[in-house]
């Protein structure tokens, strides 16, 4: 049984006069220096919001993105080029990634279809072979002379030789389809970003997201945080059944998803450790997020059989700082995790010093 205390997250977009009065010509700008591109993007974003408001369309992230692309298409080429260059740091085109995955899946199905066709043909040939043996056996039963027996045996040998040649060719085709299918499936697996066990992203996607966020922070100087969560090892050891352990871990993953924002990346790093990459989130906001996680998980009743489990989790916040690798952020969090818990510190902040990276080196 699971009981949840639902937290309502409310957000409001204050209507400022400059948003309502924004006009399209305000965002049609002449070529300017690179440092003015952020201002261009802000003005254009305000214009997109105005259009959504004028057309009475909810300014949801999906609607905003649709209108952003639609209205950007009507702008001068130079303006579109500057905006697109600014947005490149957001990551690869997910539609292209999905299209490539779909092509791989279709190719995999095509190879499987080829395997089924070969197997079907081989099955038919097996039936033919049975009929040939049956026919020659009947001929042997009615033949009394040694010459007749030799003729029937010779004919059977020739039939089996032909059939064996066909079967060998079909086995070669079957092997080719099988190997090709294996390569496609391995390629798809290497690109997978989802952990089906827990219903969240996988380790590969988490590390890729951290790396991209590091690049984004270096360019835009905003703040983001990584939160690591793990069920206390002492609690896991109390649960003997492996399936029960997996169920408890899966329920914790679901609760993490409930407390996360749409922009957060919730993933299973491995060994029961979950990571939550919170973009544009400083340490103070990450602490508030940890408070929500603690309140929700500890307010939820978990049962293993008829026994209620006294939940205990570990929580660490790792601010994303320029000049460090994704491995360093994760390693720092993993080192601090055992120091937290219900009877210890609720959560800790693992600070990595920001290294000097040029003009942005003094930015904390």
């Amino acid at each position: 049984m699971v009981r949840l205390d639902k937290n309502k997250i409310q957000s409001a977009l204050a209507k400022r006069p400059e948003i309502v009065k924004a006009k399209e010509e305000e965002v049609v700008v002449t070529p300017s220096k690179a440092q003015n591109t952020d201002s261009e993007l802000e003005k254009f974003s305000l214009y997109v919001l105005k259009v959504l408001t004028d057309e009475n369309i909810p300014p949801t992230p999906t609607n905003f993105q649709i209108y952003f692309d639609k209205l950007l298409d009507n702008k001068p080429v130079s303006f579109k080029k500057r905006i697109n260059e600014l947005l490149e740091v957001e990551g690869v085109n997910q539609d292209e990634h999905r299209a490539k995955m779909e092509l791989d899946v279709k190719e995999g199905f095509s190879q499987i279809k080829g395997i089924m066709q070969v197997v079907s043909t081989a099955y038919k040939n097996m039936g033919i072979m049975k009929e040939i043996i049956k026919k020659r056996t009947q001929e042997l039963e009615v033949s009394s002379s040694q010459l007749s027996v030799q003729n029937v045996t010779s004919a059977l040998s020739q039939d089996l030789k032909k059939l064996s040649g066909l079967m060998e060719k079909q086995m070669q085709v079957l092997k080719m389809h099988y190997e090709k299918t294996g390569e496609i499936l391995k390629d798809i697996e290497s690109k997978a970003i989802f952990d089906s066990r827990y219903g969240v992203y996988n380790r590969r996607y988490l590390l890729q997201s951290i790396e991209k966020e590091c690049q984004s922070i270096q360019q835009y100087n905003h703040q983001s945080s990584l939160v690591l969560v793990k069920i206390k090892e002492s609690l896991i050891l109390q649960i003997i059944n492996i399936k029960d352990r997996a169920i408890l871990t899966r329920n914790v993953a679901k609760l993490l998803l409930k407390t996360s924002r749409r922009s957060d990346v919730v993933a299973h790093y491995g060994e029961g450790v979950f990571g939550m990459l919170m973009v544009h989130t400083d340490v103070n906001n990450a602490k508030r997020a940890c408070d929500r996680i603690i309140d929700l998980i500890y307010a939820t009743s978990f049962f293993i059989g008829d026994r209620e489990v006294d939940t205990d989790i570990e929580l660490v916040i790792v601010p994303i700082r320029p000049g460090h690798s994704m491995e360093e952020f994760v390693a720092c969090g993993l080192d601090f995790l055992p120091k937290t818990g219900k009877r210890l510190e609720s959560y800790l902040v693992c600070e990595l010093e920001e290294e000097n990276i040029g003009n942005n080196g003094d930015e904390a």
Side-chain angles (χ1 to χ4, degrees), residues 9-13:
I9 303 175
Q10 299 179 341
S11 61
L13 175 63

Side-chain angles (χ1 to χ4, degrees), residues 34-210:
Q35 56 265 33
N36 294 328
T37 310
D38 284 351
S39 177
E40 292 179 341
L41 178 60
E42 181 180 356
K43 291 179 180 179
F44 182 69
S45 298
L46 294 177
Y47 173 63
V48 174
L49 285 174
K50 178 186 179 299
V51 174
L52 288 170
T53 303
D54 292 343
E55 297 187 11
N56 198 27
I57 296 175
T60 63
T62 300
N63 289 338
F64 184 88
Q65 181 178 356
I66 292 173
Y67 268 72
F68 188 98
D69 295 336
K70 176 182 177 181
L71 297 173
L72 183 62
D73 193 54
N74 298 326
K75 299 302 173 187
V77 175
S78 58
F79 179 81
K80 287 193 292 185
K81 181 179 179 181
R82 290 194 298 276
I83 297 299
N84 286 328
E85 288 175 350
L86 189 65
L87 298 179
E88 282 180 357
V89 72
E90 296 294 330
V92 297
N93 189 311
Q94 295 301 319
D95 289 335
E96 292 181 359
H97 176 76
R98 183 180 301 174
K100 179 63 170 61
M101 290 285 287
E102 290 180 359
L103 287 175
D104 288 342
V105 171
K106 288 182 179 179
E107 176 64 18
F109 277 120
S110 176
Q111 296 297 327
I112 292 175
K113 183 179 179 180
I115 291 175
M116 297 303 297
Q117 289 175 343
V118 173
V119 171
S120 176
T121 303
Y123 181 79
K124 291 179 181 178
N125 288 338
M126 291 293 292
I128 293 173
M129 184 176 68
K130 290 180 180 180
E131 291 297 323
I132 291 174
I133 294 175
K134 180 180 179 180
K135 177 182 177 182
R136 299 308 181 188
T137 301
Q138 291 174 346
E139 292 177 355
L140 288 174
E141 290 177 350
V142 299
S143 298
S144 56
S145 65
Q146 183 177 0
L147 181 60
S148 298
V149 171
Q150 290 177 346
N151 290 336
V152 172
T153 304
S154 176
L156 177 60
S157 177
Q158 291 297 322
D159 291 336
L160 293 178
K161 185 176 181 180
K162 292 179 181 178
L163 188 59
S164 176
L166 291 174
M167 292 288 289
E168 186 174 347
K169 291 181 180 179
Q170 290 164 357
M171 290 303 296
Q172 290 295 327
V173 175
L174 183 62
K175 181 181 179 182
M176 178 193 70
H177 285 304
Y178 180 82
E179 291 176 347
K180 182 64 176 178
T181 302
E183 292 174 1
I184 293 173
L185 293 178
K186 286 182 180 179
D187 184 57
I188 292 176
E189 184 180 7
S190 68
K191 298 174 182 176
I193 62 174
F194 196 71
D195 190 320
S196 58
R197 291 173 298 173
Y198 303 114
V200 296
Y201 288 110
N202 61 16
R203 173 175 178 167
R204 180 184 299 108
Y205 187 77
L206 175 64
L207 295 179
Q208 290 175 352
S209 299
I210 296 174

Side-chain angles (χ1 to χ4, degrees), residues 273-325:
V273 178
F274 293 93
M276 182 184 293
L277 178 61
M278 309 179 71
V279 298
H280 293 278
T281 303
D282 59 18
V283 173
N284 289 331
N285 286 317
K287 288 180 178 180
R288 284 192 279 270
C290 286
D291 289 332
R292 292 196 301 269
I293 292 172
I294 291 172
D295 291 341
L296 181 59
I297 291 180
Y298 289 163
T300 303
S301 299
F302 297 94
F303 290 88
I304 301 298
D306 297 331
R307 182 172 65 91
E308 183 174 358
V309 176
D310 183 18
T311 315
D312 195 359
I313 62 172
E314 302 172 348
L315 268 172
V316 171
I317 300 171
V318 186
I320 305 298
R321 305 295 190 196
H324 295 280
S325 66

Side-chain angles (χ1 to χ4, degrees), residues 196-226:
S196 58
R197 291 173 298 173
Y198 303 114
V200 296
Y201 288 110
N202 61 16
R203 173 175 178 167
R204 180 184 299 108
Y205 187 77
L206 175 64
L207 295 179
Q208 290 175 352
S209 299
I210 296 174
E211 185 175 15
K212 290 178 182 177
E213 188 59 19
C214 288
Q215 297 172 359
S216 178
I217 291 173
Q218 289 182 6
Q219 182 168 355
Y220 298 113
N221 294 321
H222 62 268
Q223 298 185 53
S224 296
S225 302
L226 172 66

